[in-house]
Amino acid sequence: MQLFYNPELNESTEEFAFQKEESKHIIKVLRKTTGDIMYITNGKGWLFSAKIIIPNINKCTAQVVSKVLQEAPKYLLHLAVAPTKMNDRYEWFLEKATEIGIHSITPIICDHSERKIIKPERFNRILQSAMKQSLSCFLPKLNEAISFKAFVQQDFNGDRFIAHCEEMDRKSLKETLKPKTDTTILIGPEGDFSKNEIEQAIKNSFVAVTLGQSRLRTETAAIVACHSAAFTNE
């Protein structure tokens, strides 16, 4: 099954048109024609089956024939991850985290951050592509980049953790995670969080955790945290 994405669809939609680029792909590349069935999600849990009624290369029009609301996840995972020096590593994290299952992502700017500017448009395209490839109907939310200090002072539902490499009292993340519990996890930049940031997080009720004995890259640590949460909720 090939999945398309259209955020404008909702449960009351009866007929709609694909955008020009998608229309060209559907008619020219996939060679779809009148009566063929397409599958579309709005990224909010809905899976729509739609029948092509006007196979126009510039404006392919389809009629919704059925819709199903996927079961909502048992937990919400929010990863706050510092941008990596190389953009492609962060993009790899976004893709894999979407495949594994994540609800929201926030780029956090830290004391040791080497990159402080992100490209949300490109990041969102990667999230959409990964959602479609994994046949999920839930699009992760990419929040605006924010400073570490401002982020930890926010209110959060559920448990909150900060993963770091400092030699201090830390719990094992995999042994601390609880199933069916909303969770926020902080992952630092290549140079790790500063001691001041760790203290700030702990003062704001974040629990210090370790992801294991190995020193992990930022994007690897984020994926380990994401998979740990997914595994806990299997």
Side-chain angles (χ1 to χ4, degrees), residues 28-41:
K28 280 287 189 179
V29 179
L30 300 180
R31 299 186 181 279
K32 298 294 183 180
T33 188
T34 304
D36 287 342
I37 298 297
M38 308 295 293
Y39 299 95
I40 312 97
T41 182

Side-chain angles (χ1 to χ4, degrees), residues 123-139:
F123 283 1
N124 272 310
R125 288 198 298 269
I126 289 170
L127 293 175
Q128 293 169 18
S129 177
M131 175 190 67
K132 292 187 291 184
Q133 189 278 329
S134 58
L135 301 182
S136 170
C137 291
F138 290 96
L139 179 67

Side-chain angles (χ1 to χ4, degrees), residues 33-73:
T33 188
T34 304
D36 287 342
I37 298 297
M38 308 295 293
Y39 299 95
I40 312 97
T41 182
N42 61 359
K44 300 174 184 176
W46 284 98
L47 175 64
F48 301 88
S49 299
K51 179 175 62 176
I52 294 177
I53 56 176
I54 303 177
N56 187 289
I57 194 172
N58 294 314
K59 190 177 181 181
C60 179
T61 305
Q63 182 181 63
V64 174
V65 295
S66 67
K67 54 184 177 290
V68 177
L69 181 61
Q70 285 192 345
E71 182 180 357

Side-chain angles (χ1 to χ4, degrees), residues 13 42 48 53 55 65 68 71-72 79-80 85 90 112-113 129 135 139 146 166 168 196 201 212-213:
T13 301
N42 61 359
F48 301 88
I53 56 176
V65 295
V68 177
E71 182 180 357
L79 287 187
K85 183 178 180 180
Y90 206 87
H112 297 158
S113 290
S129 177
L135 301 182
L139 179 67
I146 187 174
E166 285 290 328
M168 59 179 289
N196 180 55
Q213 296 182 351

Side-chain angles (χ1 to χ4, degrees), residues 9 49 67 76 91 148-149 155-156 162 208:
L9 297 185
S49 299
K67 54 184 177 290
L76 299 180
E91 292 171 0
F148 178 92
K149 182 179 180 180
D155 291 327
F156 299 95
I162 177 170

Side-chain angles (χ1 to χ4, degrees), residues 31-201:
R31 299 186 181 279
K32 298 294 183 180
T33 188
T34 304
D36 287 342
I37 298 297
M38 308 295 293
Y39 299 95
I40 312 97
T41 182
N42 61 359
K44 300 174 184 176
W46 284 98
L47 175 64
F48 301 88
S49 299
K51 179 175 62 176
I52 294 177
I53 56 176
I54 303 177
N56 187 289
I57 194 172
N58 294 314
K59 190 177 181 181
C60 179
T61 305
Q63 182 181 63
V64 174
V65 295
S66 67
K67 54 184 177 290
V68 177
L69 181 61
Q70 285 192 345
E71 182 180 357
K74 300 175 183 177
Y75 69 105
L76 299 180
L77 175 62
H78 183 180
L79 287 187
V81 184
T84 52
K85 183 178 180 180
M86 302 299 292
N87 250 335
D88 59 342
R89 292 181 177 174
Y90 206 87
E91 292 171 0
W92 178 84
F93 146 65
L94 294 173
E95 179 183 77
K96 301 311 174 187
T98 302
E99 293 176 16
I100 295 169
I102 189 171
H103 179 257
S104 58
I105 300 156
T106 301
I108 49 172
I109 309 305
C110 305
D111 290 343
H112 297 158
S113 290
E114 294 189 58
R115 179 179 293 277
K116 300 185 178 182
I117 298 175
I118 67 165
K119 299 178 180 179
E121 296 82 8
R122 177 171 171 79
F123 283 1
N124 272 310
R125 288 198 298 269
I126 289 170
L127 293 175
Q128 293 169 18
S129 177
M131 175 190 67
K132 292 187 291 184
Q133 189 278 329
S134 58
L135 301 182
S136 170
C137 291
F138 290 96
L139 179 67
K141 180 183 179 183
L142 177 67
N143 299 306
E144 292 185 5
I146 187 174
S147 70
F148 178 92
K149 182 179 180 180
F151 183 84
V152 298
Q153 291 177 347
Q154 297 178 102
D155 291 327
F156 299 95
N157 293 324
D159 293 339
R160 60 191 82 171
F161 304 102
I162 177 170
H164 66 82
C165 300
E166 285 290 328
E167 291 299 329
M168 59 179 289
D169 184 35
R170 294 171 294 164
K171 298 181 178 180
S172 167
L173 177 63
K174 68 177 183 178
E175 295 176 0
T176 310
L177 287 167
K178 298 193 292 281
K180 299 181 181 179
T181 302
D182 293 353
T183 304
T184 300
I185 305 175
L186 302 174
I187 304 293
E190 280 88 345
D192 201 4
F193 293 114
S194 66
K195 291 184 178 180
N196 180 55
E197 287 172 332
I198 296 171
E199 292 174 358
Q200 285 182 54

